[in-house]
Amino acid sequence: MAAKQRDAATTYSPRIIARTRPPIFKDSDLDWTRPDGRGFHQCRPALLQTGAVSSASGSAYAEFGNTKVIVSVFGPRESKKATSYSDVGRLNCNVSYTTFASPTLGSQGTDHKEYASMLHKALEGVIMMETFPKTTVDVFALVLESGGSDLPVVISCAGLALADAGIMMYDLITAVSVSCIGKRLMIDPVTEEEGCEDGSFMMTCMPSRSEITQLTITGEWTTPNINEAMQLCMDASSKLGDIMRDCLKQAASASDE
Amino acid sequence: MVGVSVGEQNFIKGGIAQDLRTDGRKRLTYRDIYLETGVIPQANGSARVRIGGTDVIASVKAEIGRPSSLQPDKGKVAVFIDCSPTAEPTFGGRGGEELSSELALALQVCLLGGKSGAGAGINLSSLLIKEGRVCWDLYIDGLVISSDGNLLDALGAAIKAALTNTAIPKVQVSAEVADDEQPEIDISDEEYQQFDTSSVPVIVTLTKVGNHYIVDATAEEESQMSSAVSISVNRAGHICGLTKRGGSGLDPSVILDMISVAKHVSETLMNNLDSKISAAEACEDES
């Protein structure tokens, strides 16, 4: 099973859900392909590496198609902000973009505070905060190149970096997003698709517990669509979790040798 | 932060498990909603919503602006929330900032819809005056005066009422000018236009306490929550946005169940709000 997984490595596309009833609309008006020629339920190839930054307690580099992200984790260490005593640890997240991350100028400094707070919300449920009282874990994410689905890649990469840093977690954390354009659901959208989507669906979950830690939906969605998107994300998440686990195992066995 | 003793905690949790909450409500009953529109004369539209001890004001201001180069055929809407220290001493200084930005982000997710504008409460194209040159910028400001739980639903309702109350002056664009020049505009002081707010969704927050979830949680009940899911539903029964708060994870089936409950609850809430808003509007017209 594990060997089979490795053969198919570096992609985490969910299995196609067999439709029980024929589509109501013929696909003639939706007769287009995705900008990078993928299938609607096909994810971009994922490259994951740990130990990207030597000075950090743990770090990871993720490359999902054109989206390239580096995340480093520092700590647990003394809290910078002199705040009151706390018997659970604190988590501090920061997401920044390089100036050359996206083609448009002046797009920096807009939505990264909200990315940071979303990253924080996604991670706080997974980390065992009580294992590092009085101290802070800092998670710094840097988007080197923005190619769509930036936040899910940042979250997944942060999960890997936290595991690399040896921070206690209930499970690995994976995030997958789905875009809805017209009647179509497409997983792992690229920037062009995100620009014209009718709705976006981002789910963060713990793959082996199949528990959703964070969910954000925007745009107009019907319940069957949400159902289908959730299934797609759960399936993709569990596969992405396997890839991440393999990546961590490889790093561990390499350091043993 | 509310201090709740262990005894009270058990009382709250036990009550919720038995479908009889501390204030006598059932799990899916709202507190009485008090709504007033036109409370701020300086704004183009405003409303105040009180749900129990929660008291919020929303105002809508419109300003002539320029469409962004990425979306030349749309106006702009920005949502800001301010948590006043009168509500809670911890909101003073920078203390309320985190909550304010979280609420503003959640409201943006719930009200502004997808990138293409599907599911948006406000049709951004209706804010356009001249493509690529002039448009209306809407500034939606929410102020939390007093906080007793369920801030997001209250703010959502207040914004819906404020938008209904909003009147934007009619604008005449003067005859054709060269493409690269800013056209001259004439803002009418007599003629106003109103928004179609029938598509503005309502926000229903389901707070999970123990194994059950409740609507319209008070601050005490919120202190016992494991997680909360805010779902915005429009009149057509479509989900326009969803955000989750709180650390603990949820099973996918629980979330789907919450969505169907929220859809059910939103219908009554939407009708209730609409009648309250039209009553408030009629009351304001009289005075």
Side-chain angles (χ1 to χ4, degrees):
Chain A
M1 178 63 199
K4 217 169 136 193
Q5 213 83 49
R6 208 155 298 152
D7 289 342
T10 69
T11 185
Y12 58 101
S13 311
R15 84 192 119 77
I16 310 293
I17 300 159
R19 288 187 171 276
T20 45
R21 59 200 153 99
I24 301 160
F25 293 94
K26 289 277 168 265
D27 286 351
S28 53
D29 57 333
L30 296 161
D31 192 21
W32 39 271
T33 48
R34 298 179 69 170
D36 46 5
R38 278 182 290 153
F40 290 106
H41 295 169
Q42 200 181 354
C43 297
R44 293 175 290 182
L47 172 77
L48 296 164
Q49 261 167 12
T50 52
V53 180
S54 53
S55 60
S57 329
S59 62
Y61 170 75
E63 193 178 313
F64 287 46
N66 282 333
T67 308
K68 299 183 179 82
V69 169
I70 200 163
V71 177
S72 47
V73 173
F74 294 89
R77 60 185 183 183
E78 184 191 352
S79 294
K80 280 268 159 57
K81 290 177 202 155
T83 38
S84 56
Y85 169 80
S86 142
D87 53 1
V88 293
R90 287 191 183 85
L91 177 67
N92 174 34
C93 295
N94 182 40
V95 179
S96 52
Y97 276 60
T98 58
T99 44
F100 46 80
S102 57
T104 46
L105 276 172
S107 65
Q108 292 92 27
T110 45
D111 51 351
H112 311 135
K113 241 190 176 163
E114 63 188 56
Y115 275 15
S117 84
M118 283 163 108
L119 176 63
H120 185 279
K121 281 203 267 178
L123 295 178
E124 68 182 350
V126 194
I127 301 171
M128 297 177 174
M129 297 282 203
E130 63 281 1
T131 56
F132 48 95
K134 298 188 279 182
T135 50
T136 305
V137 167
D138 292 298
V139 178
F140 297 124
L142 178 66
V143 179
L144 299 170
E145 195 180 329
S146 152
S149 306
D150 296 345
L151 188 61
V153 177
V154 164
I155 293 172
S156 306
C157 190
L160 199 64
L162 284 166
D164 185 48
I167 310 285
M168 297 273 270
M169 291 191 287
Y170 294 106
D171 190 8
L172 280 171
I173 184 149
T174 57
V176 181
S177 66
V178 168
S179 261
C180 167
I181 302 182
K183 293 234 172 319
R184 280 284 186 190
L185 293 184
M186 46 194 72
I187 199 161
D188 200 17
V190 296
T191 315
E192 291 92 331
E193 288 162 344
E194 279 183 333
C196 60
E197 67 192 1
D198 292 327
S200 91
F201 179 105
M202 195 203 70
M203 195 176 94
T204 311
C205 78
M206 299 191 248
S208 36
R209 291 159 62 111
S210 67
E211 208 173 88
I212 298 173
T213 60
Q214 185 55 258
L215 178 66
T216 311
I217 302 178
T218 54
E220 197 163 15
W221 289 79
T222 55
T223 319
N225 267 355
I226 290 181
N227 241 321
E228 194 183 332
M230 206 176 260
Q231 268 179 21
L232 280 174
C233 285
M234 291 303 286
D235 215 45
S237 288
S238 73
K239 288 189 176 155
L240 182 56
D242 289 339
I243 297 173
M244 286 165 71
R245 205 154 270 141
D246 279 349
C247 168
L248 286 169
K249 275 183 200 155
Q250 266 170 20
S253 61
S255 65
D256 281 347
E257 277 159 20
Chain B
M1 205 61 236
V2 274
V4 182
S5 70
V6 181
E8 280 176 295
Q9 286 179 17
N10 289 333
F11 189 65
I12 291 170
K13 286 182 188 164
I16 288 168
Q18 291 176 34
D19 203 8
L20 184 64
R21 288 152 69 176
T22 43
D23 46 7
R25 284 183 290 155
K26 284 182 174 294
R27 282 198 287 266
L28 299 181
T29 328
Y30 268 82
R31 288 172 283 186
D32 254 354
I33 298 173
Y34 168 84
L35 197 146
E36 196 181 345
T37 56
V39 288
I40 301 168
Q42 272 92 342
N44 293 72
S46 59
R48 176 185 183 187
V49 167
R50 272 202 327 243
I51 305 180
T54 298
D55 196 342
V56 298
I57 288 182
S59 81
V60 179
K61 284 197 178 194
E63 209 171 73
I64 295 282
R66 209 189 156 97
S68 78
S69 54
L70 294 173
Q71 293 183 310
D73 58 341
K74 280 177 182 158
K76 289 175 287 186
V77 177
V79 182
F80 299 101
I81 302 298
D82 188 26
C83 293
S84 157
T86 54
E88 232 173 83
T90 53
F91 289 165
R94 299 174 70 91
E97 235 168 59
E98 202 173 307
L99 179 66
S100 305
S101 62
E102 194 185 319
L103 286 169
L105 180 62
L107 285 166
Q108 273 166 18
V109 165
C110 289
L111 298 176
L112 301 187
K115 290 259 167 58
S116 72
I122 307 148
N123 184 0
L124 294 182
S125 308
S126 70
L127 298 173
L128 189 74
I129 300 167
K130 186 165 168 53
E131 183 167 337
R133 300 272 160 235
V134 203
C135 69
W136 284 111
D137 288 351
L138 279 194
Y139 296 94
I140 301 177
D141 291 285
L143 173 65
V144 177
I145 301 169
S146 159
S147 151
D148 187 17
N150 205 21
L151 286 174
L152 199 61
D153 294 18
L155 284 165
I159 289 173
K160 187 176 162 75
L163 283 171
T164 315
N165 183 242
T166 301
I168 287 184
K170 279 231 168 81
V171 175
Q172 292 287 325
V173 181
S174 62
E176 282 304 306
V177 279
D179 267 355
D180 48 346
E181 273 176 61
Q182 195 70 10
E184 274 184 37
I185 48 169
D186 175 36
I187 302 174
S188 155
D189 346 327
E190 280 137 29
E191 279 184 289
Y192 289 90
Q193 61 179 45
Q194 289 210 304
F195 280 118
D196 174 28
T197 50
S198 56
S199 60
V200 178
V202 288
I203 302 173
V204 176
T205 302
L206 292 170
T207 309
K208 192 158 186 275
V209 180
N211 290 323
H212 299 276
Y213 34 84
I214 52 174
V215 297
D216 194 20
T218 61
E220 277 106 38
E221 286 165 336
E222 270 181 3
S223 70
Q224 300 306 309
M225 75 170 194
S226 58
S227 54
V229 177
S230 300
I231 301 159
S232 79
V233 187
N234 66 8
R235 191 159 270 293
H238 291 158
I239 311 297
C240 301
L242 187 151
T243 52
K244 181 178 166 295
R245 271 185 308 142
S248 79
L250 288 172
D251 197 71
S253 62
V254 174
I255 292 193
L256 291 175
D257 192 34
M258 280 175 149
I259 289 174
S260 67
V261 170
K263 267 169 104 168
H264 182 69
V265 172
S266 73
E267 254 175 64
T268 34
L269 178 64
M270 176 86 86
N271 291 336
N272 184 7
L273 270 183
D274 278 351
S275 63
K276 288 251 160 78
I277 290 172
S278 48
E281 287 283 84
C283 181
E284 199 205 343
D285 286 345
E286 269 172 35
S287 56

